[in-house]
Amino acid sequence: MSRPISIGVMTSGGDAQGMNAAVRAVVRTAIHQGVAVHAIYEGYQGMVDGGDRIRLLAWDDVGSILHRGGTVIGTARCPAFREREGRRRAARNLLQSGIDRLVIIGGDGSLTGANTFRQEWPELLAELVQAGEIDEATARDHAALMIVGLVGSIDNDMVGTDMTIGADSALHRITEAIDALTSTAASHQRSFVVEVMGRHCGYLALTSAIAGGTDYVLIPENPPPVGWEDRMCEMLRHGRAAGRRDSIVVVAEGATDQEGHPISGDYVRQVLEERLGEDTRVTILGHVQRGGTPSVYDRWMSTLVGHAAVEELLAATPDSEPQLIGVRFNRIHRAPLMQCVEKTRAVAATIAEKNYAKAMDIRGGSFTAMFDIFKKMAEALPSVTPTTQPRRIAVLHGAGLAPGMNTAARAAVRLGRDRGHVMLGVRGSFEGLINGKIEELNWGDVEGWTALGGAELGSTRYVPTTEQLYTVARTLETHQVDGLLVIGGWKAYQAIYKIHSERDRYPAFKIPMICLPATIDNNLPGSELSIGADTALNVIVEALDRIKQSATAARRCFVVEVMGRHCGYLALMSGLAGGAERIYLPEEGITLKDLQADVERMLTSFRTGRRFYLTIRNEQANPQYTTDFLARLFDQESNRLFDVRQAILGHIQQGGNPSPFDRILATRLAAHGIDFLTEELERGSAGGVFAGLVEGKVSNFPIKLMPDMVDLPNRRPLEQWWLSLRSVLQALAQP
Ligand code: ADP
């Protein structure tokens, strides 16, 4: 008979939002797999102290923690664990609970400590046997320590994962702060310097500078040359002249100049006051960045890695190399733990050696590209001399509103102007093209659009009829439009497909055109994610948190209806992030048999002590079994064990200001769109594509391929990567 397996889970080092989601996933996956799981409270300190700091957890012990910031099992710095004696005591304490497999959630320090511990384990056990603290059988049964690492760090500073647990939430906090500062700065025509965390990593500074639409950024990996103050002041002056009412400079805490002299927020303030005469204030965000509720991304990503960590540990053998479980392109990514730690430390060393090109290189191509995009957008003057006959590019939206449309339009206008183009805005989508509502947009016209929900240019679902195409062609000719950039959803794609297929009849349509995906439904071909979906998810999950809170006094089942049309993305991802017990997806439909089984499960669950049961239904999961029907059915069958409520979230899901992720995605896609159109125009060709994110890269697909990539009656892509995450939900939802 094999001996029972016992896992320990611990959070260590700096706390980070999302750690709780990871702990919950570890605990529930382990229990789902029939394995005992212990929490080690207060990081390595709890391991060294033992006793009730190492506790067996049950399913419900990790209920209602998804939405909480920080870590409910505590974290601490523990000097004792750096000593061999401390680790010897830790080994003994773990063995008292039969633990020889650990999930460590922490930064590079914590993961290094875990690796040392693993390497020493056999010797530590031999010493414990010799001292009579454990018997030989125990040492034999637990001859090896197996570990797996998850990265909890708001800085996003670890090689081996695209994102660390907590980074996205920190970005939310910083972006909220910059948005707030922007409005007060604009009112008083003031300047602000915002200092953000990141000793060796400029991720938070750079992404928040882009998401916040700020003017200048200083990061450790790419310090400015000596004399940078002149350049900064010049850029800010140009911005003011072009219509900006405020200036915001973001400084990472580890920022220096190229000589390695630290640059503090206060120094930047002095420069702005002395050289520009601007009334300048410094805001150091500090621990606010670690605070608050975790973002949706941090909840579902941490859930995925927590789940995968247990699977990894259960498959591990004493000889297998410890792995770091992270994410790459939203999929689980395994990489050898210590290699990741060493490469991460190499970045700090590279910066210390002033080898900045290499530091940027290690950060990767998209980091460098984003830095470049930021600079171009912040500079009001074009970097090329406009030609006497500049190209004219029209930007328009189409289909339902998606938060981030404005961000994309602003980026397109600024980056297009930077390439020397005249940028045109079409008001009112394709109807605007029919009615000739086109106007030139300058750098200052799109000021402030970054953070704005909705669509300043307007967005309608109207698709021109075949007869109206003639008028559309006339408008394009009258306004001498050389290229089209469309930011929108399903109907916009349809409209462009129609226009593109009529190229032979209308010469005006023989211009380069590109569609960028923007819809909360995330139902477009050629892109794994669309602009707006992350914001909608955050709105939904915030509502779910409130719904949960509202139900604490009663035993209650909630049926929450979310949008998405025929695509279950919003339902599944909000369910993962909001801790739903059951999700009804249009991809699966709903049968009577399903409902019978659900009712049984619900009854058992409430009988065994459950107080809240969350179900999420996509609006089109089944035409007959509506949200109202489900709620009535559950109520009828509840045996008065629980009551049932329904909530149809409706249009609030399309509202709200774009999340940082949507702003970054919008900026990145818009930059790609402008690059594509510029290249086509320079080559003299007239390609038509729709673009999107596929496995982390922005890719193009010819417009004529659109019908081959979609399930037309159901208006969704044939391939949907996120459907594979259903198994995680199943493992976590049922005791
Ligand atoms: P982070 O994990 O966020 O990098 P620290 O570097 O402070 O944070 O590490 C957290 C804890 O991990 C330390 O207090 C210590 O207990 C343990 N630790 C860190 N480095 C080592 C090491 N080299 N050997 C043993 N334990 C370590």
Side-chain angles (χ1 to χ4, degrees):
M1 205 181 78
S2 62
R3 87 193 146 73
I5 294 177
S6 195
I7 289 181
V9 56
M10 183 184 84
T11 52
S12 174
D15 64 326
Q17 303 100 317
M19 280 179 160
N20 289 329
V23 169
R24 172 179 176 272
V26 168
V27 170
R28 295 205 165 166
T29 307
I31 294 173
H32 187 78
Q33 299 275 13
V35 170
V37 56
H38 294 77
I40 298 156
Y41 287 80
E42 319 305 335
Y44 286 119
Q45 194 62 52
M47 212 185 269
V48 173
D49 294 347
D52 71 350
R53 293 206 160 172
I54 303 180
R55 264 179 263 160
L56 186 68
L57 291 189
W59 186 272
D60 287 336
D61 290 332
V62 289
S64 300
I65 63 169
L66 261 178
H67 62 287
R68 291 170 64 176
T71 161
V72 293
I73 61 172
T75 178
R77 311 266 178 209
C78 172
F81 193 77
R82 292 180 185 269
E83 310 296 328
R84 193 184 163 89
E85 173 52 23
R87 296 194 288 272
R88 200 177 72 93
R89 280 169 46 198
R92 187 199 57 200
N93 291 334
L94 290 183
L95 288 176
Q96 278 177 355
S97 301
I99 301 169
D100 57 12
R101 293 170 205 243
L102 287 177
V103 180
I104 311 289
I105 309 169
D108 61 344
S110 308
L111 300 177
T112 306
N115 192 53
T116 308
F117 191 35
R118 181 188 76 93
Q119 287 165 333
E120 284 176 355
W121 182 266
E123 291 167 30
L124 296 174
L125 264 52
E127 285 170 29
L128 289 170
V129 170
Q130 214 166 25
E133 292 184 57
I134 59 168
D135 58 31
E136 282 195 16
T138 305
R140 220 178 18 249
D141 282 348
H142 303 279
L145 176 70
M146 284 159 272
I147 59 170
V148 58
L150 303 181
V151 194
S153 157
I154 66 163
D155 291 346
N156 203 24
D157 51 357
M158 182 70 82
V159 175
T161 184
D162 285 349
M163 288 292 276
T164 56
I165 294 171
D168 186 63
S169 303
L171 189 54
H172 273 255
R173 291 303 92 77
I174 302 170
T175 309
E176 283 155 17
I178 294 179
D179 286 353
L181 291 174
T182 303
S183 57
T184 164
S187 311
H188 293 272
Q189 300 223 28
R190 228 172 229 158
S191 299
F192 272 94
V193 182
V194 183
E195 228 181 87
V196 305
M197 284 185 172
R199 261 171 302 159
H200 307 294
C201 183
Y203 174 85
L204 288 178
L206 177 59
T207 45
S208 65
I210 293 173
T214 65
D215 305 83
Y216 200 80
V217 66
L218 291 148
I219 60 171
E221 297 92 334
N222 198 353
V226 173
W228 56 274
E229 296 91 336
D230 297 337
R231 175 81 190 109
M232 176 181 74
C233 292
E234 188 186 281
M235 276 181 72
L236 297 190
R237 234 181 260 122
H238 292 159
R240 290 274 177 161
R244 263 198 91 116
R245 291 181 51 85
D246 59 291
S247 310
I248 298 196
V249 177
V250 179
V251 188
E253 60 181 339
T256 64
D257 66 16
Q258 282 182 6
E259 302 289 300
H261 306 120
I263 301 175
S264 69
D266 201 53
Y267 177 67
V268 179
R269 178 190 61 78
Q270 273 176 40
V271 173
L272 297 182
E273 283 189 344
E274 283 165 18
R275 301 200 188 183
L276 295 177
E278 300 211 343
D279 178 11
T280 309
R281 309 290 157 99
V282 180
T283 300
I284 300 174
L285 291 182
H287 282 78
V288 164
Q289 295 162 82
R290 290 192 187 284
T293 188
S295 69
V296 167
Y297 178 81
D298 270 327
R299 297 191 202 189
W300 68 254
M301 184 272 280
S302 307
T303 299
L304 293 197
V305 292
H307 174 75
V310 173
E311 309 233 297
E312 175 71 31
L313 267 190
L314 295 182
T317 64
D319 304 325
S320 46
E321 171 149 21
Q323 299 291 312
L324 180 144
I325 306 287
V327 282
R328 195 144 173 70
F329 316 141
N330 291 328
R331 273 75 153 182
I332 290 297
H333 179 69
R334 303 163 69 245
L337 180 71
M338 284 321 285
Q339 274 183 30
C340 297
V341 170
E342 277 150 25
K343 280 191 193 157
T344 300
R345 294 196 163 157
V347 181
T350 311
I351 293 173
E353 288 159 12
K354 304 198 181 74
N355 190 347
Y356 304 119
K358 191 171 164 201
M360 285 298 274
D361 202 42
I362 303 176
R363 287 277 178 252
S366 62
F367 191 82
T368 314
M370 288 310 280
F371 193 77
D372 209 42
I373 291 171
F374 173 80
K375 282 196 299 192
K376 285 181 181 156
M377 284 200 304
E379 174 56 271
L381 299 182
S383 59
V384 299
T385 320
T387 50
T388 39
Q389 193 132 47
R391 304 301 200 142
R392 295 164 66 82
I393 294 179
V395 179
L396 74 155
H397 301 304
L401 280 179
M405 280 178 158
N406 282 327
T407 322
R410 169 187 179 269
V413 167
R414 291 210 169 164
L415 295 169
R417 286 176 50 80
D418 184 68
R419 303 289 287 262
H421 306 312
V422 168
M423 298 304 294
L424 306 167
V426 180
R427 298 226 171 242
S429 303
F430 290 90
E431 283 167 287
L433 268 190
I434 295 165
N435 304 327
K437 292 211 170 133
I438 298 189
E439 68 201 52
E440 190 174 333
L441 291 175
N442 289 313
W443 192 90
D445 296 330
V446 291
E447 180 55 33
W449 285 20
T450 317
L452 223 52
E456 290 295 289
L457 291 174
S459 190
T460 73
R461 296 183 200 276
Y462 193 77
V463 177
T465 61
T466 308
E467 295 71 44
Q468 285 169 328
L469 291 182
Y470 171 75
T471 330
V472 171
R474 280 267 313 266
T475 306
L476 293 177
E477 272 161 6
T478 314
H479 291 269
Q480 297 168 326
V481 175
D482 298 306
L484 265 186
L485 187 126
V486 182
I487 304 154
W490 190 272
K491 292 277 180 183
Y493 276 48
Q494 258 189 332
I496 279 295
Y497 182 77
K498 198 165 186 179
I499 289 175
H500 189 265
S501 359
E502 296 287 338
R503 287 183 143 194
D504 288 339
R505 283 180 51 200
Y506 301 102
F509 295 164
K510 282 196 179 138
I511 55 174
M513 45 185 84
I514 184 166
C515 292
L516 304 179
T519 164
I520 66 163
D521 300 336
N522 200 28
N523 63 347
L524 294 170
S527 195
E528 289 171 1
L529 290 172
S530 55
I531 300 164
D534 184 63
T535 309
L537 278 176
N538 276 287
V539 170
I540 294 171
V541 172
E542 206 184 307
L544 294 180
D545 287 351
R546 288 180 192 204
I547 282 171
K548 275 194 171 181
Q549 272 174 348
S550 78
T552 43
R555 272 198 304 244
R556 185 164 289 171
C557 164
F558 247 100
V559 186
V560 179
E561 181 182 304
V562 301
M563 285 181 165
R565 295 180 178 263
H566 295 279
C567 171
Y569 180 78
L570 290 180
L572 183 70
M573 301 313 267
S574 65
L576 262 177
E581 271 70 35
R582 176 74 163 99
I583 297 171
Y584 298 100
L585 300 175
E587 286 82 359
E588 293 173 339
I590 310 175
T591 65
L592 189 57
K593 228 166 141 186
D594 291 338
L595 293 175
Q596 243 165 348
D598 292 343
V599 166
E600 287 305 321
R601 208 172 297 121
M602 235 177 253
L603 286 169
T604 315
S605 195
F606 279 106
R607 271 191 205 112
T608 49
R610 177 179 289 282
R611 302 195 57 81
F612 185 73
Y613 201 101
L614 178 63
T615 67
I616 296 181
R617 180 183 170 281
N618 157 286
E619 59 185 351
Q620 311 263 0
N622 182 299
Q624 307 304 332
Y625 300 148
T626 60
T627 300
D628 187 55
F629 175 85
L630 258 55
R632 284 166 189 267
L633 175 80
F634 296 155
D635 194 39
Q636 178 66 31
E637 299 295 322
S638 70
N639 274 344
R640 303 208 175 158
L641 256 179
F642 55 94
D643 58 25
V644 182
R645 295 283 187 278
Q646 52 174 304
I648 297 175
L649 297 185
H651 281 82
I652 60 163
Q653 295 164 84
Q654 282 184 320
N657 292 337
S659 69
F661 179 86
D662 276 332
R663 299 187 200 183
I664 304 290
L665 179 64
T667 305
R668 202 171 154 199
L669 288 174
H672 171 82
I674 292 297
D675 283 348
F676 170 80
L677 294 174
T678 307
E679 280 160 28
E680 288 296 297
L681 290 168
E682 278 170 2
R683 265 208 305 264
S685 48
V689 298
F690 53 105
L693 266 193
V694 181
E695 299 201 346
K697 291 197 183 57
V698 186
S699 311
N700 288 334
F701 300 86
I703 288 177
K704 61 176 188 301
L705 283 189
M706 225 182 258
D708 303 334
M709 291 170 69
V710 295
D711 168 353
L712 202 55
N714 286 314
R715 290 200 195 169
R716 61 182 176 233
L718 287 174
E719 278 178 43
Q720 301 191 102
W721 64 276
W722 47 269
L723 279 173
S724 64
L725 305 182
R726 282 177 294 185
S727 59
V728 178
L729 193 98
Q730 273 149 18
L732 299 187
Q734 290 158 29

